[in-house]
């Protein structure tokens, strides 16, 4: 029901928009016949149409905010949380990378491909009781890059 074929020209066009996340491949069986009275001829073809992706979805975190308790003196290099965002787009349009706000860039870092947040130095409650981190998930889509943000409260 997504396609229509012009009966005289054979031009195939879409009736409506097609979302690749709903249907990635469509197969059409097409037949063409002449209108001869004496020698009627019919030909058949199978058309396989691969739907190209458009960057129409943004990454989405599974939670709007996280609250985690981390022990004092947690050593440098310790992973404290894995943030995860999902983008249903295909290929680069759906590949998510992560970044961390620069507010606590001397204390925490993030693995840009996994979303793992880890410590850059040992945590000391006497110096700072808690941290608010902002994590951004950005897709690699072109030409429009989309993103989502979540907050991580570390105490």
């Amino acid at each position: 029901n997504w396609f229509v074929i012009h009966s005289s020209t054979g031009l195939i066009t879409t009736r409506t928009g097609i979302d690749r996340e709903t249907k990635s491949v469509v197969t059409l069986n097409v037949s063409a016949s002449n209108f001869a009275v004496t020698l009627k001829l019919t030909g058949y073809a199978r058309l396989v149409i691969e739907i190209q992706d458009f960057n129409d979805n943004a990454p989405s975190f599974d939670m709007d905010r996280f609250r985690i308790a981390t022990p004092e003196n947690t050593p440098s290099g310790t992973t404290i949380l894995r943030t995860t965002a999902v983008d249903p787009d295909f290929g680069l349009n759906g590949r998510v990378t992560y970044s961390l706000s620069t507010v606590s860039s001397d204390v925490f870092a993030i693995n840009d491909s996994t979303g793992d947040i880890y410590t850059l130095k040992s945590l000391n409650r006497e110096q700072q009781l808690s941290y608010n981190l902002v994590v951004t998930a950005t897709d690699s889509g072109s030409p429009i890059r989309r993103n989502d943000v979540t907050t991580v409260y570390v105490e």
Side-chain angles (χ1 to χ4, degrees):
N1 291 343
W2 287 317
F3 297 94
V4 63
I5 187 167
H6 190 276
S7 62
S8 299
T9 64
L11 179 66
I12 299 172
T13 56
T14 57
R15 285 188 177 157
T16 183
I18 303 169
D19 189 0
R20 188 188 195 290
E21 288 77 44
T22 304
K23 190 78 169 170
S24 60
V25 176
V26 177
T27 302
L28 300 177
N29 293 312
V30 180
S31 65
S33 300
N34 67 4
F35 293 103
V37 177
T38 57
L39 183 59
K40 186 168 182 156
L41 300 173
T42 302
Y44 300 93
R46 172 173 268 171
L47 227 58
V48 178
I49 301 169
E50 184 176 321
I51 309 301
Q52 298 296 306
D53 190 48
F54 179 76
N55 191 25
D56 56 343
N57 295 290
S60 177
F61 283 102
D62 52 356
M63 295 178 65
D64 290 338
R65 69 189 72 140
F66 297 86
R67 184 181 191 104
I68 60 169
T70 305
E72 186 173 23
N73 297 322
T74 297
S76 175
T78 301
T79 298
I80 61 167
L81 178 69
R82 172 171 280 183
T83 59
T84 303
V86 176
D87 187 329
D89 285 318
F90 181 73
L92 290 177
N93 291 337
R95 189 177 77 197
V96 177
T97 56
Y98 301 90
S99 60
L100 198 57
S101 67
T102 58
V103 175
S104 300
S105 62
D106 62 330
V107 181
F108 298 98
I110 192 164
N111 181 307
D112 67 349
S113 60
T114 66
D116 288 350
I117 299 173
Y118 57 94
T119 58
L120 291 174
K121 62 183 183 182
S122 182
L123 302 181
N124 185 335
R125 296 255 188 269
E126 286 78 30
Q127 291 178 344
Q128 188 161 344
L129 286 174
S130 63
Y131 302 87
N132 276 312
L133 310 177
V134 177
V135 180
T136 303
T138 305
D139 67 27
S140 301
S142 177
I144 302 167
R145 299 184 88 174
R146 299 179 180 270
N147 61 43
D148 190 21
V149 174
T150 191
T151 304
V152 179
Y153 180 73
V154 181
E155 54 185 359

